[in-house]
Structures are given as structure tokens and as C-alpha cells.
Amino acid sequence: MILIIVLMTVGCDQVSKELTRQKVEPEVFIPVIKNHLILTNVENTGAMLGFGQDFSPILKRLLLQALPMLLLLIMLYRIMSKPNLNLLLLVAFALVIGGGLGNLIDRIAYGSVTDFFQFRLGIFRTGIFNIADVAVTIGVFMFVFLIARGKKPAI
């Protein structure tokens, strides 16, 4: 089940990014639901919200490729080797791993991550994000919720 969630997350993420690269002109903002949901095509050479864009290429490879790859592999190994983890905890970690791998694939293959969604509600605007970012965010919120409810992660 863990691998299915990871593979589905990576697959949906990569297909949506490829469609965006093929069908949406870079830096164009297309209203999908009035001005509340925007479709665009932005290449992020850094991490979340552009953090690290100005790092040297070597530092970017270490912090945005090597370190995440190591952490994702350790996380996957740990959850695969624990037979009695809470089902929701497994789903949370699988979403984080799948989302992390989706963005890591972009960084390795293209040198940047394709982001394409933005929400705008009045003065509130999100950063521009993708399916991998959504998966990681949902996984982290699930993890925090489970910890708040007293479920120990044991990872």
C-alpha cells in the first residue's frame, strides 16, 4: 500500500508537470475559477517559495538533491521495516515520500521544479505550487494531527 501511494503521487505529479510544461506558456497566468484559482507555469530553481535559488550549484545539489534523497530513502526504509504502524501514519509518510520524490525528479532531470497552481482569496495568496507540494503538505498535516491525538510515530 505504501508503494502504491508513493507511485501514484509521483505519477500524478509528473504527468501534471509534463502537461503544464507542454500546454502552458511560462509565466502566463490563466484564471481557472475566476481569479481564485490560477494556472501558470513557473520553474522554481530553489526550494519552497524560492528558498536557495541563489545558492551555488554545488550547494544546491547537496541541499536540494542529495540530502532530500537520503532522507526520503531513510524514511521509506524505516516505514517499510515497521510492521505495526498506524495506517494513517503510513499514508502520511507515503504522501511525504511521494511528493518529495516528485519534486526531486524535477530537480535532477530539469534543474528546477515546475510549479503551476496558485490560490487567491482577497488579500490572501498562496505561493505557486504543484501536486507534489500538496501531497507533502497533506502528509505533514496528517502527521501533526496524529501526534496531537497521541499516536506515536515510532519512525
Side-chain angles (χ1 to χ4, degrees):
M1 182 174 127
I2 297 164
L3 289 176
I4 290 171
I5 293 170
V6 168
L7 293 174
M8 285 182 60
T9 302
V10 170
C12 289
D13 177 64
Q14 289 300 300
V15 167
S16 64
K17 288 174 180 174
E18 186 58 33
L19 285 171
T20 299
R21 286 189 288 269
Q22 290 178 9
K23 305 285 185 188
V24 180
E25 292 293 322
E27 308 289 329
V28 170
F29 287 80
I30 303 166
V32 176
I33 300 174
K34 296 188 180 183
N35 255 355
H36 303 300
L37 176 61
I38 306 297
L39 181 64
T40 188
N41 179 352
V42 175
E43 294 298 322
N44 182 356
T45 60
M48 188 172 114
L49 301 175
F51 171 77
Q53 288 185 97
D54 299 327
F55 288 173
S56 70
I58 292 173
L59 192 55
K60 275 187 184 180
R61 280 196 188 102
L62 284 172
L63 292 178
L64 302 179
Q65 291 179 16
L67 182 61
M69 176 67 85
L70 179 64
L71 293 173
L72 291 171
L73 288 173
I74 290 169
M75 201 182 316
L76 184 60
Y77 170 77
R78 296 286 295 173
I79 66 172
M80 298 280 291
S81 65
K82 300 274 185 184
N84 298 322
L85 287 177
N86 174 293
L87 179 63
L88 290 176
L89 188 62
L90 288 174
V91 170
F93 277 110
L95 287 170
V96 170
I97 292 166
L101 284 175
N103 280 340
L104 190 58
I105 289 168
D106 273 23
R107 284 194 185 101
I108 292 168
Y110 303 103
S112 62
V113 174
T114 302
D115 291 328
F116 53 89
F117 280 133
Q118 183 182 45
F119 285 112
R120 298 176 177 181
L121 300 169
I123 61 170
F124 172 77
R125 292 179 184 208
T126 65
I128 301 170
F129 59 95
N130 57 45
I131 300 295
D133 299 334
V134 171
V136 169
T137 302
I138 290 171
V140 168
F141 277 125
M142 287 176 69
F143 181 72
V144 169
F145 175 77
L146 290 168
I147 288 176
R149 293 199 58 212
K151 307 285 183 192
K152 293 188 179 180
I155 294 287

